[in-house]
């Protein structure tokens, strides 16, 4: 930057002063481990080795008592966790750079961990209350005939469901923490690596994201497998006068609900935090004061960087955790239902197939991550290849291996003498899902990467003002819903008919494999989830690294490297959101089918269709669509209100401390951190409560109407209508919000790269306005909708007895 030593010292004092002084406000956010954690940290490493060995042996014992397939899953998950630990050690072995970098990183880490602890404390209390409500409902719920025949008492079922819910919530929280834990430690190491080599910086970010991804996916699979095996052994499944394996997956629905519950509030709270800080920092810093992004003089810059970790990393880890958990459980339910109808001699392959698919996901994703290697010429400052091309090569390797693994899995587990060619049909269903995943990644990249025309058109519109930028972005977002919907439609119909023609028939000779075919396609789409999450985690880590480089006043050549990685990270985040909403659409279809199966089991009445010509069902559908729009409105409004507080605070500091702009006074970073932390925790409650309470209220109200008008199952039918309409509306709304926000962001990045006048130009100011509008779209409301449409399905699965007449 060419500053003299005195000026650099002033800059460093401005940066580090607040942390060295440890102001009261900021120190309140510093990480203060609980006594349990403090005690654990004092234990000898050998104690951990012994505990780990005992845990593994216990898991293998339970697995051997249940099924060899479960044992296989445990072996693969254990191996993937070992590889993840290797990746973590590799990343943590990298240096943190000069002191000014590590000081900034420490501040980000303290703010992120402090907020996480407070946020998840609030979520855990809400989960505890909900667990007691579920316990009360299940103590008085109806049982299925199969459960009655197996002699399962209501109290046993109640405690099983509550245990599943709490375990799902706990694992979802751990998944979120792992995502944040690695990001706040990898960011500074990426910054430091960028001083030496662009390829090394890319490799550190990818491997840090890979660690988080493998842990999240591995823990999801392990959690469901442990729960299934434990219930199998505890309940004596498949023994005389006990529950059959085909009924066991219904007991796991609480796990999916717990995961969705935590993920929704984590996404809401984290999204409000990160985007309120980002909007406040951009509007005052970049537009009004004309200072660069992540400039040390901006009082909101630390809050912005903390937000990347709690919003993008922690929330996304919990999001993908619950996506995979919901897909696995719904597919297991459908597999069990189909096996029962077809009277298969050994249903274990169809029920446990989802666990095996995601076990192979861990293997192929690990190979894809390992395929990205550093260059031999460590002296090269610039990348020989585009970072996006490098990441896509790894994705191509992962996809190829996923196709082979999926084909082998279907032949191993889905072959049956009753329909010898069924496994091949289901293998084709999986291929449909894998192609769908690739199509979604490509479509999202096309609409959000500034290499392509749509984003460049948004950038061009910025040259004529703020309004035309907004119009172009909204138009792009609306247009971007078309191709994904066409892809989803073709995928569902194709997979359904491939499954239906598989040759599997029920006792009446009717084909029954259609729904399971769509389940297999969903598994295919998520069969590379580990690598996709790696690309997603890469984004916020690179973004944080760029902020640390800017704040620590590193040379322009270093900032150019992190800017390039950040732009690629924006695209990978957008593609992952497209992938997430596509998988959510397919998973919601499965959960909807599982809900109808469950209602049939409890009521003893076939429930195979939903007639929207019934006025009450149509009204339920309208309420479901309204829920999506109202939820999105409240989420965006929450960001707006919090951002107003940040803008006012940043303006106040610039007005009252004019020396901030000349590095003679220090910004009060802690004040902005405190504002967004408290506001986001407060603001996440209303939209979250709306999502949890609405389906329960709709089901109970229409159940009472049904009792008064002699319409049995009306409550369940109205809820089915709500689910159907909410899913369709949620998919379209999420596609619009995610893509429009991502396009606005990268249009700004394109102008910052030098187009249309570059940084500081009028076009740049208009692009910043568009990016500001898009921030709550793509990082708060949009991602929250992924979770919402699946949580609506899982909560109805858990609460279904409330909607039925006694």
């Amino acid at each position: 930057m060419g500053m003299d030593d005195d000026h650099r010292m002033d800059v460093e004092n401005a940066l580090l002063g607040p942390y060295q002084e440890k102001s009261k406000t900021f120190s309140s956010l510093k990480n203060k481990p609980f006594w349990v954690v403090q005690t654990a940290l004092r234990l000898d490493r050998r104690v951990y080795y012994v505990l780990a060995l005992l845990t593994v042996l216990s898991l293998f014992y339970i697995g051997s008592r249940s099924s060899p397939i479960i044992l296989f899953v445990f072996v693969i998950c254990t191996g993937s966790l070992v590889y993840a630990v290797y990746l973590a050690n590799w990343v943590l072995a990298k240096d943190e750079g000069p002191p000014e970098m590590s000081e900034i990183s420490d501040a980000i880490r303290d703010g992120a961990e402090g907020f996480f602890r407070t946020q998840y404390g609030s979520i855990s209390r809400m989960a505890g209350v909900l667990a007691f409500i579920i316990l009360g409902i299940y103590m008085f719920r109806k049982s299925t005939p199969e459960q009655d025949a197996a002699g399962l008492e209501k109290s046993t079922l109640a405690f099983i469901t509550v245990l599943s819910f709490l375990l799902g919530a706990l694992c979802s929280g751990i998944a979120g923490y792992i995502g944040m834990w690695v990001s706040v430690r990898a960011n500074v190491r990426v910054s430091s690596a960028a001083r030496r080599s662009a390829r090394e910086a890319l490799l550190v970010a990818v491997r840090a994201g890979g660690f988080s991804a493998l842990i999240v996916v591995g823990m999801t699979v392990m959690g469901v497998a442990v729960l299934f095996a434990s219930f199998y052994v505890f309940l004596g499944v498949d023994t005389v006068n006990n529950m059959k394996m085909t009924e066991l997956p219904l007991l796991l629905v609480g796990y999916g609900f717990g995961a969705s519950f935590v993920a929704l509030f984590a996404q809401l709270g984290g999204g409000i935090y990160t985007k309120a800080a980002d909007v406040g920092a951009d509007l005052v810093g970049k537009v009004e004061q004309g200072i660069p992004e992540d400039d040390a003089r901006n009082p909101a810059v630390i809050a912005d960087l903390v937000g990347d970790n709690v919003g993008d990393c922690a929330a996304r880890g919990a999001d993908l955790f619950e996506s995979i958990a919901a897909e696995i459980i719904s597919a297991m339910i459908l597999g069990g239902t189909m096996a029962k109808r077809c009277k298969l001699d050994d249903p274990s392959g169809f029920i446990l197939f989802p666990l095996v698919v995601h076990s192979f996901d861990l293997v192929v994703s690990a190979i894809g991550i390992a395929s990205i290697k550093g260059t031999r010429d460590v002296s090269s400052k610039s990348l020989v290849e585009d970072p996006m091309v490098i990441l896509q090569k790894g994705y191509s390797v992962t996809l190829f291996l996923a196709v082979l693994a999926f084909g082998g899995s279907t032949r191993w587990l889905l072959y049956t003498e009753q329909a010898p060619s069924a496994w091949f049909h289901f293998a084709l269903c999986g291929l449909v899902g894998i192609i769908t995943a690739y199509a979604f990644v490509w479509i999202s990249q096309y609409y959000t990467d500034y290499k392509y025309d749509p984003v460049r058109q948004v950038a061009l519109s910025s040259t004529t003002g703020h309004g035309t930028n907004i119009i172009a972005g909204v138009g792009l977002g609306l247009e971007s819903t078309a191709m994904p919907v066409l892809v989803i439609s073709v995928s569902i119909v194709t997979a359904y008919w491939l499954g239906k023609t598989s040759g599997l028939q029920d006792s009446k000779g009717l084909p029954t494999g259609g729904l399971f075919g769509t389940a297999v396609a969903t598994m295919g789409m998520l069969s590379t989830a580990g690598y996709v999450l790696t690309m997603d985690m890469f984004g916020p880590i690179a973004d944080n690294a760029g902020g640390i480089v800017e704040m620590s006043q590193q040379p322009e050549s270093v900032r150019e490297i992190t800017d390039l990685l950040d732009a690629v990270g924006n695209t990978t985040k957008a593609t992952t959101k497209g992938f997430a909403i596509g998988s959510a659409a397919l998973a919601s279809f499965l959960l909807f089918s599982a809900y109808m199966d469950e209602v049939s089991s409890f009521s003893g009445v076939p429930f195979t269709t939903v007639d929207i010509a019934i006025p009450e069902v149509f009204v339920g559908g309208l309420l479901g669509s309204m829920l999506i729009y109202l939820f999105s409105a409240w989420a965006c409004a929450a960001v707006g209100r919090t951002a107003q507080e940040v803008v006012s605070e940043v303006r106040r500091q610039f007005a009252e401390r004019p020396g901030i702009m000349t590095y003679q006074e220090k910004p009060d970073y802690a004040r902005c951190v405190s504002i967004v932390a408290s506001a986001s925790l407060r603001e996440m409650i209303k939209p979250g409560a709306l999502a949890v309470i609405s389906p329960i209220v709709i089901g109970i109200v229409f159940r009472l109407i049904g009792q008064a008008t002699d319409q049995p199952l009306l409550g369940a039918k109205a809820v089915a209508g709500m689910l159907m309409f909410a899913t369709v509306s949620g998919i379209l709304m999420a596609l619009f919000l995610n893509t429009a926000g991502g396009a606005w962001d990268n249009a700004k990045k394109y102008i910052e790269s030098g187009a249309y006048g570059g940084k500081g130009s009028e076009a740049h100011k208009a692009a910043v306005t568009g990016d500001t509008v898009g921030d709550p779209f793509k990082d708060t409301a949009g991602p929250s909708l992924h979770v919402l449409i699946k949580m609506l399905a899982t909560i109805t699965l858990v609460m279904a007895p409330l909607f039925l007449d006694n």
Side-chain angles (χ1 to χ4, degrees):
M1 297 295 289
M3 296 186 300
D4 56 35
D5 292 341
D6 291 338
H7 189 41
R8 180 174 291 279
M9 187 172 294
D10 290 338
V11 173
E12 291 183 3
N13 287 336
L15 288 173
L16 309 181
Y19 315 130
Q20 293 167 344
E21 293 174 6
K22 298 181 181 178
S23 65
K24 292 181 180 179
T25 307
F26 194 78
S27 63
S28 66
L29 291 172
K30 291 185 72 65
N31 188 32
K32 299 174 182 177
F34 296 115
W35 66 268
V36 177
V37 178
Q38 292 175 328
T39 303
L41 291 174
R42 296 193 191 103
L43 293 176
D44 188 274
R45 181 174 294 184
R46 287 171 293 186
V47 175
Y48 290 109
Y49 291 151
V50 172
L51 291 175
L53 179 61
L54 291 175
T55 302
V56 170
L57 291 176
S58 300
L59 291 177
F60 284 4
Y61 173 74
I62 293 174
S64 64
R65 290 281 306 276
S66 56
S67 168
I69 300 172
I70 291 289
L71 193 59
F72 172 81
V73 170
F74 285 161
V75 170
I76 297 294
C77 289
T78 303
S80 71
L81 295 180
V82 171
Y83 181 66
V85 171
Y86 160 76
L87 292 178
N89 288 333
W90 186 91
V91 171
L92 295 176
K94 297 290 181 179
D95 68 280
E96 296 187 357
E100 58 267 25
M101 278 189 175
S102 57
E103 289 285 351
I104 296 165
S105 174
D106 288 345
I108 296 169
R109 185 186 310 168
D110 291 335
E113 293 185 346
F115 175 75
F116 185 92
R117 185 176 65 250
T118 306
Q119 180 192 29
Y120 275 74
S122 301
I123 294 173
S124 63
R125 287 191 290 273
M126 290 187 288
V129 172
L130 188 55
F132 277 107
I133 294 173
I134 294 172
L135 181 65
I137 291 172
Y138 270 64
M139 290 295 289
F140 301 99
R141 61 171 271 179
K142 294 176 64 175
S143 302
T144 67
E146 292 82 3
Q147 291 168 350
D148 289 336
L152 287 178
E153 297 181 359
K154 290 182 178 180
S155 59
T156 303
L157 292 172
F159 282 108
I160 283 176
T161 304
V162 170
L163 175 64
S164 300
F165 171 79
L166 292 176
L167 183 61
L170 175 65
C171 290
S172 183
I174 294 173
Y177 180 75
I178 288 170
M180 184 204 66
W181 184 90
V182 68
S183 67
V184 297
R185 286 160 178 80
N187 52 14
V188 69
R189 290 168 169 83
V190 175
S191 302
S192 179
R195 298 180 304 139
R196 297 184 292 273
S197 160
R199 188 61 175 253
E200 183 185 351
L202 171 70
L203 195 58
V204 174
V206 167
R207 292 196 169 186
F211 161 75
S212 177
L214 293 177
I215 291 290
V216 169
V217 177
M219 194 167 59
T220 310
V221 178
M222 185 78 85
V224 176
V226 167
L227 208 57
F228 181 92
S230 299
F231 290 163
Y232 186 96
V233 174
F234 174 72
L235 298 175
V237 173
D238 280 344
T239 57
V240 179
N241 295 328
N242 279 320
M243 177 180 284
K244 300 300 181 184
M245 181 185 282
T246 53
E247 302 296 325
L248 187 54
L250 275 175
L251 300 182
L252 306 178
V253 294
Y255 185 87
F257 178 37
S260 298
F261 179 82
V262 170
L264 179 68
F265 283 98
Q267 187 66 70
L268 274 172
I272 294 168
Y273 188 114
T274 183
K275 290 303 107 180
D278 195 3
V279 169
D282 282 355
L283 285 181
V284 183
K286 294 168 75 172
V287 177
E288 296 181 8
Q289 298 296 328
I291 59 178
E293 185 172 1
D294 298 329
D295 192 286
R297 293 168 290 179
N298 194 324
V301 66
I302 289 292
D304 185 9
L305 294 174
V306 169
D308 289 337
N309 295 287
V310 299
D312 287 334
C313 292
R316 196 74 73 253
D319 181 358
L320 200 62
F321 176 91
E322 68 89 23
S323 291
I324 298 172
E327 178 264 321
I328 289 175
I329 292 169
S330 59
M332 291 175 76
I333 292 173
L334 292 176
T337 301
M338 189 187 70
K340 183 169 61 175
R341 288 174 180 171
C342 296
K343 300 187 183 303
L344 297 179
D345 296 331
D346 182 10
S348 61
F350 287 85
I351 295 173
L352 300 178
F353 180 67
L355 294 174
V356 173
V357 168
H358 287 292
S359 297
F360 280 120
D361 171 18
L362 292 167
V363 176
V364 300
S365 296
I367 295 173
I369 294 165
S371 69
I372 300 175
K373 299 178 180 178
T375 56
R376 294 182 180 179
D377 183 9
V378 295
S379 63
S380 175
K381 276 280 186 179
S382 62
L383 282 164
V384 179
E385 295 179 89
D386 180 352
M388 195 67 201
V389 173
I390 297 171
L391 292 174
Q392 285 178 330
K393 283 183 178 178
Y395 185 49
S396 298
V397 170
T398 306
L399 274 176
F400 175 74
L401 294 174
V403 171
L404 297 180
F406 208 97
S409 300
T410 52
R411 180 62 180 82
W412 171 29
L413 297 174
L414 303 185
Y415 177 81
T416 173
E417 294 291 344
Q418 292 176 234
S421 63
W423 73 270
F424 183 69
H425 282 249
F426 292 128
L428 292 178
C429 292
L431 184 60
V432 167
I434 292 172
I435 293 172
T436 301
Y438 185 80
F440 261 84
V441 169
W442 184 87
I443 292 168
S444 299
Q445 184 180 348
Y446 174 73
Y447 279 108
T448 57
D449 194 331
Y450 63 60
K451 294 176 187 174
Y452 302 103
D453 188 60
V455 173
R456 294 195 175 199
Q457 287 298 318
V458 176
L460 177 62
S461 71
S462 303
T463 60
T464 54
H466 301 250
T468 49
N469 171 280
I470 299 298
I471 293 170
V474 170
L476 181 149
L478 293 171
E479 178 189 317
S480 70
T481 62
M483 289 177 66
V485 168
L486 291 174
V487 170
I488 291 174
S489 302
V490 171
S491 300
I492 290 176
V493 173
T494 303
Y496 183 86
W497 283 102
L498 281 171
K500 192 171 184 178
T501 57
S502 64
L504 289 171
Q505 298 178 337
D506 63 13
S507 56
K508 298 179 181 178
L510 299 175
T512 60
L515 284 176
F516 191 70
T518 59
V520 174
T522 309
M523 292 178 232
M525 187 169 186
L526 285 168
S527 64
T528 57
Y531 191 86
V532 172
L533 182 57
T534 298
M535 292 197 296
D536 183 73
M537 292 292 184
F538 168 88
I541 291 172
D543 191 0
N544 249 214
I548 292 172
V549 166
E550 180 68 37
M551 287 191 70
S552 59
Q553 300 292 321
Q554 297 301 308
E556 189 65 26
S557 60
V558 180
R559 181 68 198 188
E560 287 174 359
I561 291 173
T562 55
D563 277 348
L564 177 60
L565 296 180
D566 185 17
V568 171
N570 281 337
T571 303
T572 60
K573 285 192 291 184
T575 56
T576 305
K577 288 167 187 168
F579 175 88
I581 193 60
S583 62
L586 292 176
S588 297
F589 180 72
L590 301 185
L591 289 165
F592 181 75
S593 302
Y595 167 74
M596 296 178 74
D597 281 345
E598 186 179 24
V599 171
S600 297
S601 296
F602 281 117
S603 65
V605 178
F607 186 41
T608 56
T609 58
V610 179
D611 186 359
I612 61 172
I614 299 174
E616 293 86 353
V617 176
F618 184 75
V619 169
L622 283 178
L623 293 173
S625 293
M626 177 211 71
L627 171 62
I628 297 298
Y629 285 85
L630 186 59
F631 176 87
S632 301
W634 284 359
C636 289
V639 174
R641 284 190 295 270
T642 308
Q644 289 173 22
E645 296 183 46
V646 178
V647 167
S648 299
E649 174 60 24
V650 175
R651 284 175 176 167
R652 182 192 68 78
Q653 290 197 34
F654 278 127
E656 295 180 3
R657 302 183 183 184
I660 289 176
M661 291 298 294
T662 58
Y663 298 101
Q664 294 173 337
E665 291 186 81
K666 308 163 191 170
D668 185 359
Y669 302 117
R671 178 60 184 156
C672 288
V673 171
S674 176
I675 287 172
V676 290
S678 59
S680 58
L681 292 172
R682 179 180 69 248
E683 296 283 359
M684 74 178 183
I685 301 298
K686 188 167 75 168
L690 174 73
V692 174
I693 294 172
S694 294
I696 299 175
V697 171
I698 290 171
I700 292 175
V701 168
F702 281 101
R703 170 193 165 185
L704 296 176
I705 293 174
Q707 288 176 340
T709 58
D710 195 24
Q711 297 182 73
L713 296 186
L714 185 62
K717 291 177 181 178
V719 169
M722 181 213 70
L723 279 178
M724 186 184 300
F725 281 60
T727 299
V728 172
S729 299
I731 291 166
L732 293 171
M733 177 66 85
L735 284 170
F736 163 68
L737 295 174
N738 289 337
T739 311
W744 271 317
D745 194 351
N746 270 350
K748 179 197 71 175
K749 294 288 184 186
Y750 180 57
I751 293 175
E752 288 176 347
S753 70
Y756 307 120
K759 294 181 180 180
S761 65
E762 290 302 314
H764 182 235
K765 291 180 180 178
V768 171
T769 299
D771 179 38
T772 301
V773 173
D775 276 339
F777 280 26
K778 68 182 175 65
D779 288 320
T780 307
S784 296
L785 287 175
H786 307 167
V787 186
L788 173 65
I789 61 177
K790 285 170 290 184
M791 198 202 71
L792 290 175
T794 54
I795 194 173
T796 52
L797 275 171
V798 172
M799 300 295 182
L802 282 178
F803 315 144
L804 303 173
D805 297 335
N806 291 324

